[in-house]
């Protein structure tokens, strides 16, 4: 039965009509907010994470109804199916066992493989870190270049950046993903081949951007005097396609395996996280896994009413499907979490940007929200104006750590103060009477401009400290939130057919751009045809990369 024909959906719609005009300011007023206060009732602590979701357009009744929705859409049953390795990705006939990667006691059929690969990663990372792994002139590795895109880039890059305060300073880690040569060139300008290690990360080992960058860095090594035999000291690969890796010319001994039961955007816990391990060390990598495992256990066993990913997922559904919010903002008040919004964009939008249900029917309700964001306080000076006074309601997740990762006095207090002030201002707003008071009678025309509607929903996610455990838990929180929403929307969060068509067409167009026109261009539309014809004239070095 379609989701919006469920009786609980109608109950939620009726409830929405009842509370849509209520203002959170009134719910928080001292007269109404008696102990246990909203903050008491709507705050949960687990796995090193505190979620305060009291500044949402919800009452106790809303939560009770949303929990019923989770039950009626079999969130628990689907969750258990994922954890026990059932085929939860039916279009690719695969399990999704990223949770097994962080469970050191797992009795899954994959436990032995996971252990073997983890030991191999650890030994290799330690040799690179302590300078035993040397380049072709005998010098220790100083630069690691991770070449990958999407899940083979965003997760490792986000984590390495977030935990940079724990990184070994002798080795710099660089991430190259874009096929725009500027990305690789910028990195190559900063490093020297003798002391560089390239990690080519690609589950399929056929992704065109990654292969182009891999070929170009191989040429760069060769031009520097490194012989084909010596390349063994400069290339390792992480892939589920060892045959292609070997065909590219990387030694079978230098291949770290990943498996088809780990989705790309859920893969940083596997050997895809090799660059993270080299940066922060195997012990810290283990802590990252432990933090995620703690959150996995919470998701699996905590009651739905106190379950962080379940609540975060349900709140997203509440705004997306009932308030009609098309997007939500991730605002980490943490420079270290700079890449978190980009990482979450892939996680949520590639997972849940779907229009077809698991049984192949078109949905008649919205699915994934658009995810966007930037760290605070920069975002305050860019787009927060719209969040406060624009006519559209955009929910926000504030994420911050109570402990700074730096030693500069005074900065952290300002950072925290700004974050707390934003969520309070977004909730409270400023009434017309308050605005009039500020404007004074001689500036009456200003009043409507300095009124803030308020009633803008936010979650505040607090970490005691940004460390490997809390970061692991935070990432797992969003992974499972994404899963909860997919379960409610009855869609498959583990495939990504939507990226295929563009890939196929780009191969055709690439050939058309570089070869001489013989006969008709592929039956493109007039716009694409004209763009190609125009671009052909400006392309001087007509070549394609072969590997
Ligand atoms: O863009 C689609 C996608 O398949 C992502 O899901 C994936 O993370 C990325 O490309 C990279 O794929 P691969 O690791 O196979 O190179």
């Amino acid at each position: 039965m379609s989701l919006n024909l469920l009786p609980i959906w109608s109950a939620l719609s009726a409830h929405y009509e009842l509370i849509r005009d209520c203002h959170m300011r009134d719910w928080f007023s001292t007269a109404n907010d008696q102990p246990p206060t909203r903050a008491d009732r709507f705050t949960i602590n687990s796995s090193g994470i505190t979620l305060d979701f009291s500044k949402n357009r919800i009452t106790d009744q809303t939560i009770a109804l949303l929990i019923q929705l989770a039950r009626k859409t079999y969130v628990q049953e689907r969750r258990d199916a994922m954890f026990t390795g059932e085929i939860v990705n039916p279009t690719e006939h695969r399990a999704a066992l990223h949770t097994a990667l962080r469970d050191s006691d797992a009795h899954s059929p994959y436990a032995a493989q996971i252990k073997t690969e983890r030991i191999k990663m650890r030994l290799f990372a330690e040799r690179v870190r302590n300078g035993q792994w040397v380049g072709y002139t005998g010098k220790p590795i100083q630069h690691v270049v991770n070449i990958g895109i999407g899940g083979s880039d965003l997760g490792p890059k986000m984590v390495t950046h977030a935990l940079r305060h724990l990184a070994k300073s002798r080795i710099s880690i660089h991430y190259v993903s874009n096929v725009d040569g500027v990305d690789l060139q910028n990195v190559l300008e900063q490093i020297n081949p003798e002391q560089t290690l390239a990690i080519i990360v690609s589950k399929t080992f056929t992704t065109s951007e990654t292969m182009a960058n891999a070929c170009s860095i191989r040429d760069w090594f060769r031009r520097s005097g490194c012989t084909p035999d010596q390349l063994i000291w400069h290339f390792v690969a992480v892939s589920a396609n060892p045959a292609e890796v070997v065909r590219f010319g990387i030694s079978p001994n230098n291949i770290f395996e990943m498996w088809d039961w780990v989705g790309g955007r859920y893969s940083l816990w596997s050997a895809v996280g090799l660059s993270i391990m080299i940066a922060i060390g195997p012990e810290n990598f283990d802590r990252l896994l432990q933090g995620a495992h703690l959150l996995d256990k919470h998701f699996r066993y905590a009651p739905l009413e106190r379950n962080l990913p379940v609540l975060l997922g349900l709140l997203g559904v509440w705004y997306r499907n009932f308030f009609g919010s098309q997007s939500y903002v991730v605002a980490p008040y943490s420079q270290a979490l700079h890449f978190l919004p980009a990482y979450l964009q892939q996680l949520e939008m590639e997972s849940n940007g779907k229009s077809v249900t698991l049984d192949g029917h078109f949905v008649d309700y919205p699915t994934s929200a658009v995810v966007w964001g930037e760290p605070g306080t920069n975002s305050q000076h860019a787009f927060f104006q719209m969040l406060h006074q624009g006519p559209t309601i955009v929910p926000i997740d504030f994420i911050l750590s109570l402990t700074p990762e730096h030693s500069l006095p005074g900065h952290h207090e300002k950072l925290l103060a700004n974050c707390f002030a934003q969520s309070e201002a977004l909730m409270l707003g400023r009434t017309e009477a308050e605005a009039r008071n500020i404007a004074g009678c001689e500036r009456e025309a200003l009043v409507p401009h300095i009124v803030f509607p308020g009633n803008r929903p936010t979650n505040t996610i607090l970490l005691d400290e940004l460390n490997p455990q809390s970061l692991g838990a935070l990432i797992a929180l969003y992974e499972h939130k994404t899963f909860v929403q997919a379960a409610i929307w009855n869609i498959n969060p583990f495939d990504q057919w939507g990226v295929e068509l563009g890939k196929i067409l780009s191969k055709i167009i690439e050939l058309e751009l570089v070869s001489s026109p013989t006969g008709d261009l592929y039956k493109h539309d007039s716009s694409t045809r004209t763009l190609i014809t125009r671009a052909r004239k400006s392309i001087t070095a007509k070549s394609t990369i072969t590997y």
Side-chain angles (χ1 to χ4, degrees):
M1 188 195 289
S2 172
L3 180 58
N4 44 22
L5 295 178
L6 292 177
I8 183 61
W9 198 263
S10 314
L12 274 160
S13 302
H15 177 70
Y16 166 73
E17 293 301 329
L18 272 183
I19 70 156
R20 56 181 282 182
D21 295 326
C22 299
H23 201 294
M24 282 191 275
R25 190 195 304 131
D26 300 323
W27 291 334
F28 272 109
S29 71
T30 21
N32 291 328
D33 197 21
Q34 296 297 312
T37 60
R38 281 180 70 82
D40 296 330
R41 299 197 315 280
F42 297 142
T43 298
I44 297 177
N45 280 292
S46 178
S47 323
I49 293 179
T50 301
L51 167 67
D52 174 350
F53 58 104
S54 61
K55 293 193 187 89
N56 274 294
R57 308 270 292 262
I58 54 165
T59 63
D60 295 286
Q61 175 67 2
T62 321
I63 293 296
L65 289 169
L66 287 170
I67 296 292
Q68 275 190 54
L69 174 67
R71 288 193 207 289
K72 296 288 180 198
T73 50
Y74 306 104
V75 167
Q76 290 151 295
E77 290 80 358
R78 293 177 199 242
R79 171 198 65 194
D80 294 343
M82 175 179 71
F83 274 95
T84 52
E86 286 180 35
I87 301 295
V88 288
N89 175 1
T91 59
E92 296 179 305
H93 200 69
R94 290 173 183 169
L97 273 171
H98 43 286
T99 53
L101 291 166
R102 45 224 197 191
D103 182 358
S104 52
D105 305 324
H107 298 295
S108 79
Y110 307 114
Q113 282 172 278
I114 296 171
K115 200 168 162 201
T116 310
E117 222 48 37
R118 189 74 43 71
I119 293 170
K120 190 170 165 189
M121 276 172 80
R122 174 182 276 268
L123 290 174
F124 179 74
E126 269 164 359
R127 286 181 73 190
V128 175
R129 281 168 64 80
N130 64 26
Q132 280 172 3
W133 186 281
V134 295
Y136 71 97
T137 57
K139 294 186 187 154
I141 295 301
Q142 214 167 35
H143 296 280
V144 171
V145 184
N146 187 98
I147 293 183
I149 197 164
S152 300
D153 166 71
L154 290 163
K157 180 166 69 182
M158 184 270 286
V159 172
T160 302
H161 204 81
L163 299 178
R164 213 162 59 168
H165 56 290
L166 304 175
K168 188 157 183 160
S169 57
R170 196 182 59 75
I171 297 174
S172 343
I173 316 277
H174 310 263
Y175 290 89
V176 172
S177 52
N178 201 332
V179 77
D180 181 344
V182 168
D183 200 11
L184 179 60
Q185 195 165 302
N186 280 347
V187 171
L188 297 183
E189 278 165 12
Q190 301 167 44
I191 62 181
N192 65 322
E194 291 169 71
Q195 293 188 277
T196 295
L197 172 77
I199 308 181
I200 315 299
V201 186
S202 177
K203 185 174 169 183
T204 54
F205 225 75
T206 56
T207 303
S208 121
E209 296 92 328
T210 301
M211 297 322 297
N213 281 320
C215 289
S216 296
I217 201 168
R218 187 178 55 188
D219 290 347
W220 174 76
F221 277 114
R222 285 180 180 160
R223 282 198 305 274
S224 79
C226 179
T227 65
D229 287 349
Q230 290 169 332
L231 281 176
I232 192 171
W233 305 113
H234 296 276
F235 272 90
V236 299
V238 181
S239 183
N241 188 356
E244 269 304 304
V245 178
V246 172
R247 200 172 78 80
F248 175 83
I250 294 178
S251 156
N253 296 331
N254 289 3
I255 301 176
F256 295 85
E257 241 196 293
M258 65 177 298
W259 309 278
D260 66 4
W261 42 269
V262 182
R265 53 193 172 274
Y266 299 88
S267 65
L268 70 92
W269 323 98
S270 69
V272 169
L274 185 60
S275 58
I276 305 174
M277 197 189 262
I278 293 173
I280 62 173
E283 286 75 25
N284 281 322
F285 191 81
D286 283 348
R287 291 185 191 111
L288 184 78
L289 301 177
Q290 284 154 15
H293 181 55
L294 215 57
L295 204 291
D296 291 342
K297 286 199 287 190
H298 167 82
F299 178 43
R300 205 162 171 195
Y301 301 116
L304 297 187
E305 295 77 3
R306 308 297 294 166
N307 197 306
L308 291 168
V310 171
L311 287 164
L312 214 52
L314 287 170
L315 287 166
V317 168
W318 180 229
Y319 294 115
R320 183 78 186 103
N321 297 101
F322 295 93
F323 281 77
S325 295
Q326 299 200 342
S327 74
Y328 94 94
V329 162
V330 179
Y333 272 61
S334 163
Q335 196 56 33
L337 292 175
H338 184 88
F339 290 113
L340 185 67
Y343 167 79
L344 292 179
Q345 281 176 334
Q346 189 200 13
L347 177 63
E348 297 199 24
M349 292 161 76
E350 196 172 78
S351 295
N352 288 344
K354 314 279 165 70
S355 305
V356 175
T357 61
L358 277 162
D359 33 13
H361 297 111
F362 282 102
V363 295
D364 45 9
Y365 43 84
T367 57
S368 178
V370 174
V371 184
W372 56 292
E374 271 291 310
T377 58
N378 294 10
S379 46
Q380 285 174 210
H381 299 273
F383 55 78
F384 267 55
Q385 163 64 40
M386 178 263 205
L387 301 180
H388 282 284
Q389 288 188 311
T392 316
I393 293 179
V394 184
I396 304 167
D397 281 1
F398 289 109
I399 301 169
L400 70 164
S401 154
L402 293 175
T403 319
E405 298 90 49
H406 60 83
S407 53
L408 299 175
H411 284 251
H412 204 60
E413 292 72 8
K414 270 192 192 300
L415 184 74
L416 298 182
N418 269 280
C419 182
F420 299 154
Q422 288 301 319
S423 69
E424 187 168 34
L426 285 156
M427 184 276 287
L428 277 180
R430 182 190 280 150
T431 64
E432 208 176 307
E434 290 164 344
R436 188 155 289 119
N437 239 343
I438 293 167
C441 27
E442 68 284 3
R443 289 194 303 164
E444 180 62 24
L446 189 61
V447 171
H449 299 281
I450 61 171
V451 166
F452 286 62
N455 219 12
R456 307 270 153 136
T458 61
N459 290 312
T460 302
I461 298 175
L462 285 181
L463 311 178
D464 289 339
E465 187 183 86
L466 180 61
N467 57 35
Q469 286 97 331
S470 64
L471 182 61
L474 181 71
I475 301 168
L477 168 62
Y478 277 96
E479 283 180 350
H480 295 321
K481 170 210 165 174
T482 305
F483 181 82
V484 167
Q485 296 192 330
I488 292 169
W489 290 323
N490 193 27
I491 55 179
N492 179 356
F494 299 116
D495 62 11
Q496 55 283 319
W497 298 104
V499 295
E500 295 301 320
L501 181 57
K503 285 187 192 171
I504 294 167
L505 288 176
S506 85
K507 284 209 173 80
I508 296 170
I509 295 175
E510 188 182 341
L511 284 176
E512 290 169 345
L513 284 173
V514 295
S515 55
S516 10
T518 49
D520 276 355
L521 286 179
Y522 170 87
K523 300 266 175 252
H524 297 291
D525 58 87
S526 64
S527 158
T528 312
R529 207 168 46 237
T530 314
L531 291 169
I532 296 170
T533 311
R534 176 126 194 231
R536 285 175 61 89
K537 291 186 194 137
S538 67
I539 295 179
T540 43
K542 296 199 170 178
S543 64
T544 47
I545 299 172
T546 44
Y547 47 91

